[in-house]
Amino acid sequence: MSRFQVKKVAVLGAGVMGAQIAAHLVNLKVPVLLFDLPAKEGPRNGIVTKAIEGLKKLKPAPLGVAQDAALIEPANYDENMDALKDCDLIIEAIAERMDWKAELYQKIAPFVSAHAIVASNTSGLSITRLSEALPASIQPRFCGIHFFNPPRYMALVELINTPTTGAQVLDDLEAFVTTTLGKSVVRALDTPNFIANRVGIAGMLAIMQQAENFGLSYDVVDDLTGKKLGRASSGTFRTADVVGLDTLTHVIRTLQDNLGPGKVEDPFSELYRTPAVLTSLLQAGSLGQKTGAGFYKKQGRDILRLDPQSMDYVPAGAKANDVVGRMLKKPAGERLKLLREAEGAEPRFLWAILRDQFHYAAVHLQNIAETARDVDLAMRWGFGAKQGPFELWQEAGWRQVARWIQDDIDAGKALSSVPLPEWVFKGPVAEAGGVHTPEGSWSPAAQEFVARRQLPVYQRQHFPEDVLGSKAVQSTVAGQTVYEDAAIRLWTLEGEVLIASIKTKMHTISPDVAEGLARGVELAEQGYQGLVIWSNDAMFSAGADLQAMLPAFMMGGARAIEGVEAELQGVMLKLRYSAVPVVSAIAGLALGGGCELAVYSARRVAAFESYIGLVEVGVGLVPGAGGLTYIARRAANNAGTSTLKDLLPFLTEGFTAAAMAKVGTSAAESRQLGYLQDEDVIVAHKGELLHVALSQARCLYQSGYRPPLRRPFPVAGRSGIATIQAQLVNMRDGGFISAHDFHIASLIAHVVCGGDVDAGTLVTEEYLMTLERKAFCALLEHPKTQERIMGMMSTGKPLRN
């Protein structure tokens, strides 16, 4: 990999995007200076410090841990320009004004170090024109970098070069943005709004126009264009409200200002007219979610939608026709045929917007992207689509769909009369049946299928996300399988470390999964350097499989479940005391049993966006697979390194986290809660988890790994239980928790304090696990807990009773 190192970053502009980019940098331990204009009154850095404070209040939270806001160093353009000389990367993120940006570039140029990269975070301004404001010495180190909002959560970053940008500069920046910031990079051509916003905003405008043509209400359109269509659940109009109607209008204006008659020719230029309803909302100051009203308005607990005819708000919540929902579950080819030939407004609307997107993407591909792959990945990563337009088109049958699109164009039904490009019907694409092949994706400019860019950074991703048709090797069949059943796959990639991949839905831990993990430890001890628990999707494990336990409970009651829990606890101890290191590679949810699986591993490697916690209270239970034992043991270990003799202060945090079902909202916060340790590794890009986890397992083994010795540890005893219960009584009597919450929390206190023993009594893990099992099984027979379990299984939401 490149030796380019980013030791410090400067972000210019403390507005919404600039401040959140700075926040994400400190999330991942990158020192950052945040610049803005000097304040006219008060402290000179007042504008920046106000923006930093504001980060703590934003939802979704831009900071993994709110306290990390203090790590952002405030600066202003009058007093702190010399500090730029220490920065390896300078990201400009001021308002979208070409003249303002050019003026700022001239101001910073004397202070940019000879090796630093300068990048403009713009959503659509010409990067080449911006570069002209910089001295010739900086131009080779200048490019565009387009983060999507919110920067912490959105995967996509578009990198845009200019004719003078050095190739190594983009390679270096792509490596940094991928590995350090955890982003997925697409390189876009320097055209208005680049790739994702060009295709995405054109698609939103087409949806707005077709919704009016077919007379569909905004809530029905959002239902049709959300999850049912494999897109973001917020649909179209709700997404516009979240983005901000002023922001949306600005992006539309970029298209209007640069494309059309007298500018760069675009056969879809009529599409870029600002919809009349959007203009009316802007004039009324209704900018969407930020002002409380836009296409939707919240009134008390009710959600209202705008009626564009009367411009009044009326009750929302209308859904699409069930028949259309069933159509959308059909295979792609059958689905599009049904939508195109149906009589109703809703299916014809859906065919129209899909046809419009296929048409638009094909016509503009050569001008906006290097390959069709870049368009599809940009739409996935930037707009939350499960498939890009070319992927869906190809899956549905390339030639047939192409004929349908062209027939509609010829019949005057499309948004533009421009025909599909010739390459759609003739040559390599038509022969291959689409734009994506194992050799690469279609590039109209090169007139060939172009393979993905092979940068060293991508060697860290064993299974990078790819497009339909690429026939990339899937993790489910990769490597060599050592053992596999319906619950788990034990396999190896390079022969040194065994990998365990859980196959159950949401990777819940059933008895079969537990048995598979135990087998994995035994096999790893026999011939491998370690065991890595990893699965290639957005979830580590949602916890114990309650449904799998129901048959045993129905037949044998709590006694039968106690046996199941004992076996699961035995597996956790098997992981902990394995002769070779067990490493949990965590991404997404690690809840309940998933959390226990992680904390009983020798090491954890967690993606930054990991959400870890013991949440059993939500279904009226206590952690039963060793989670409470872990809390007690960790408290004893921490107390052992302190001069304090009282164990209770070290126990309080873990007890509170379990009793309140606290979940870390990032890997950083999970570390604060004690579910990750200081020696554990936080990885920015989840695609690199397996690489890092395998490296950690090998490193531990080759360093002479030995499992921890089994030793008893002290507990807080009955006096600790009494202290905690006194606080719980106050919470119950004050109405903060229910009687059943009090009962569950009391049981948690009983376990983590070691039961009815003196303070300081030495106990074993097995002893505490026995207390856990008894508490778990006693609650399982409690009517209130059974209500909570059934409520969760039927609605997916916790029931408070």
Side-chain angles (χ1 to χ4, degrees):
M1 290 179 62
S2 167
R3 298 303 300 166
F4 176 72
Q5 294 182 347
V6 179
K7 296 179 180 177
K8 182 177 282 190
V9 176
V11 177
L12 312 182
V16 173
M17 282 301 291
Q20 291 196 65
I21 291 170
H24 192 57
L25 286 161
V26 298
N27 279 339
L28 298 161
K29 302 298 178 277
V30 179
V32 60
L33 286 161
L34 181 58
F35 278 81
D36 213 300
L37 297 167
K40 295 179 181 178
E41 297 178 359
R44 299 283 277 169
N45 287 329
I47 293 173
V48 177
T49 54
K50 182 179 179 181
I52 293 172
E53 282 301 306
L55 290 169
K56 301 175 185 178
K57 304 170 187 174
L58 287 178
K59 297 293 180 185
L63 291 158
V65 177
Q67 303 94 293
D68 281 355
L71 300 176
I72 302 173
E73 187 177 345
N76 68 76
Y77 301 126
D78 281 3
E79 300 174 321
N80 307 113
M81 296 296 276
D82 277 340
L84 288 175
K85 296 176 182 177
D86 298 326
C87 296
D88 308 293
L89 172 62
I90 299 170
I91 300 174
E92 170 270 306
I94 68 170
E96 296 281 271
R97 284 274 301 268
M98 185 77 69
D99 53 340
W100 290 359
K101 290 177 184 283
E103 182 181 348
L104 179 59
Y105 294 172
Q106 293 166 12
K107 189 169 186 175
I108 67 168
F111 303 95
V112 176
S113 70
H115 73 282
I117 295 175
V118 180
S120 175
N121 180 69
T122 173
S123 60
L125 295 180
S126 169
I127 304 302
T128 301
R129 282 186 58 197
L130 286 171
S131 71
E132 294 166 358
L134 287 163
S137 60
I138 297 178
Q139 288 181 7
R141 291 176 281 121
F142 177 77
C143 65
I145 182 169
H146 181 207
F147 288 86
F148 274 63
N149 190 25
R152 172 184 163 184
Y153 300 96
M154 296 301 292
L156 180 63
V157 167
E158 293 174 317
L159 295 183
I160 310 97
N161 69 340
T162 75
T164 57
T165 304
Q168 189 62 47
V169 167
L170 279 189
D171 289 352
D172 288 341
L173 192 55
E174 184 164 347
F176 171 74
V177 167
T178 301
T179 287
T180 304
L181 302 188
K183 297 303 169 190
S184 299
V185 173
V186 165
R187 295 198 189 181
L189 302 184
D190 189 12
T191 55
N193 288 351
F194 312 128
I195 298 175
N197 274 347
R198 181 70 174 271
V199 176
I201 298 303
M204 289 182 74
L205 288 170
I207 288 171
M208 291 179 182
Q209 185 170 317
Q210 297 290 12
E212 184 177 345
N213 292 345
F214 286 95
L216 299 178
S217 63
Y218 300 146
D219 45 4
V220 169
V221 169
D222 281 349
D223 189 45
L224 287 168
T225 59
K227 285 186 176 180
K228 283 185 172 69
L229 205 60
R231 299 181 179 181
S233 58
S234 51
T236 302
F237 293 97
R238 202 176 301 278
T239 295
D241 275 356
V242 172
V243 169
L245 303 189
D246 52 342
T247 302
L248 175 62
T249 303
H250 172 80
V251 178
I252 295 170
R253 192 172 297 122
T254 301
L255 296 173
Q256 295 168 346
D257 292 345
N258 293 279
L259 302 170
K263 304 157 192 169
V264 176
E265 285 299 322
D266 187 327
F268 289 82
S269 58
E270 287 297 308
L271 176 63
Y272 306 143
R273 287 187 292 187
T274 306
V277 64
L278 184 55
T279 300
S280 298
L281 286 168
L282 291 171
Q283 290 172 347
S286 300
L287 307 181
Q289 187 170 281
K290 69 179 79 172
T291 60
F295 289 109
Y296 292 91
K297 179 180 181 180
K298 190 171 183 181
Q299 189 168 301
R301 294 186 177 182
D302 297 326
I303 301 295
L304 308 178
R305 66 160 175 86
L306 184 70
D307 178 353
Q309 304 302 320
S310 64
M311 292 304 288
D312 292 328
Y313 287 92
V314 299
K319 300 292 183 182
N321 191 300
D322 287 342
V323 174
V324 178
R326 290 195 291 273
M327 289 181 185
L328 292 173
K329 293 179 181 179
K330 299 289 185 180
E334 185 180 350
R335 182 192 326 156
L336 296 192
K337 186 175 188 296
L338 287 170
L339 295 175
R340 186 171 187 266
E341 295 176 355
E343 293 297 325
E346 292 177 17
R348 289 188 295 124
F349 160 80
L350 283 172
W351 162 251
I353 65 170
L354 291 171
R355 174 204 63 213
D356 295 340
Q357 190 177 52
F358 298 154
H359 186 194
Y360 189 91
V363 169
H364 287 94
L365 174 58
Q366 181 167 344
N367 297 321
I368 65 174
E370 293 176 355
T371 70
R373 179 194 311 106
D374 297 322
V375 173
D376 281 344
L377 291 179
M379 294 308 295
R380 280 211 232 148
W381 296 333
F383 278 79
K386 287 186 178 178
Q387 285 184 306
F390 290 117
E391 288 181 287
L392 175 55
W393 181 351
Q394 183 165 331
E395 184 184 11
W398 184 265
R399 295 191 185 196
Q400 178 60 74
V401 174
R403 285 194 293 271
W404 287 340
I405 297 168
Q406 190 58 55
D407 287 347
D408 279 9
I409 295 169
D410 295 340
K413 296 178 181 179
L415 295 175
S416 171
S417 61
V418 63
L420 289 171
E422 186 176 352
W423 57 260
V424 170
F425 296 101
K426 298 179 181 178
V429 171
E431 292 166 9
V435 291
H436 303 309
T437 69
E439 293 73 36
S441 292
W442 181 249
S443 168
Q447 285 292 294
E448 63 180 358
F449 296 107
V450 176
R452 269 188 107 158
R453 190 173 284 104
Q454 294 298 311
L455 297 179
V457 66
Y458 294 119
Q459 294 174 10
R460 297 170 59 86
Q461 297 181 21
H462 291 294
F463 303 101
E465 190 173 344
D466 216 324
V467 289
L468 177 88
S470 67
K471 296 187 178 178
V473 176
Q474 300 300 305
S475 64
T476 51
V477 295
Q480 180 180 355
T481 299
V482 178
Y483 171 83
E484 185 171 13
D485 60 19
I488 200 165
R489 181 184 182 223
L490 302 174
W491 59 290
T492 182
L493 198 57
E494 77 302 276
E496 295 179 337
V497 178
L498 193 64
I499 303 166
S501 296
I502 301 172
K503 295 168 59 179
T504 53
K505 185 178 180 181
M506 298 178 73
H507 301 160
T508 52
I509 303 170
S510 64
D512 289 342
V513 170
E515 184 180 336
L517 289 170
R519 184 190 293 260
V521 172
E522 292 167 3
L523 289 171
E525 289 179 330
Q526 291 169 13
Y528 298 90
Q529 295 185 12
L531 173 67
V532 167
I533 304 171
W534 171 87
S535 300
N536 190 25
D537 53 29
M539 186 174 298
F540 179 70
S541 173
D545 188 346
L546 293 175
Q547 284 186 319
M549 294 183 182
L550 279 179
F553 180 70
M554 297 300 291
M555 291 177 64
R559 181 173 296 180
I561 296 300
E562 186 169 0
V564 174
E565 283 296 294
E567 290 178 8
L568 186 53
Q569 290 174 340
V571 171
M572 296 299 173
L573 292 176
K574 201 175 187 76
L575 295 172
R576 174 167 165 76
Y577 294 108
S578 167
V580 295
V582 176
V583 178
S584 282
I586 306 163
L589 300 179
L591 304 178
C595 176
E596 290 166 319
L597 195 59
V599 299
Y600 276 85
S601 300
R603 183 67 51 88
R604 287 139 296 277
V605 176
F608 187 81
E609 294 304 333
S610 295
Y611 311 97
I612 308 172
L614 297 169
V615 297
E616 286 84 352
V617 169
V619 289
L621 294 169
V622 299
L628 299 184
T629 300
Y630 165 78
I631 289 170
R633 174 168 52 78
R634 178 172 174 267
N637 291 343
N638 289 341
T641 62
S642 169
T643 57
L644 292 177
K645 294 183 179 180
D646 185 6
L647 190 61
L648 199 57
F650 300 95
L651 192 61
T652 301
E653 183 179 77
F655 164 78
T656 303
M660 297 182 65
K662 280 188 177 180
V663 175
T665 57
S666 67
E669 188 175 14
S670 295
R671 178 174 273 160
Q672 285 190 335
L673 293 175
Y675 299 131
L676 296 179
Q677 304 303 308
D678 289 342
E679 65 269 19
D680 293 335
V681 180
I682 295 176
V683 175
H685 199 297
K686 67 181 180 67
E688 297 185 357
L689 267 180
L690 181 58
H691 168 82
V692 178
L694 292 171
S695 299
Q696 287 288 309
R698 286 193 296 266
C699 181
L700 286 169
Y701 178 85
Q702 293 166 14
S703 300
Y705 177 80
R706 299 287 301 175
L709 293 173
R710 295 175 183 261
R711 65 179 69 193
F713 49 87
V715 289
R718 64 178 71 88
S719 60
I721 297 172
T723 302
I724 293 174
Q725 277 202 306
Q727 297 171 354
L728 292 174
V729 167
N730 291 335
M731 295 179 70
R732 181 196 61 195
D733 294 349
F736 297 104
I737 59 175
S738 69
H740 195 47
D741 290 329
F742 173 82
H743 177 56
I744 298 168
S746 297
L747 288 174
I748 292 173
H750 182 80
V751 176
V752 298
C753 292
D756 188 17
V757 296
D758 294 333
T761 298
L762 297 179
V763 302
T764 64
E765 289 171 298
E766 289 82 359
Y767 166 80
L768 286 179
M769 284 183 168
T770 301
L771 297 183
E772 265 190 67
R773 288 200 306 275
K774 291 185 181 301
F776 184 92
C777 293
L779 283 169
L780 202 54
E781 293 186 317
H782 198 292
K784 291 284 188 182
T785 287
Q786 292 174 6
E787 286 177 13
R788 290 192 183 187
I789 291 173
M790 296 309 296
M792 177 64 78
M793 291 174 67
S794 60
T795 68
K797 297 178 181 179
L799 171 68
R800 308 310 299 177
N801 57 356

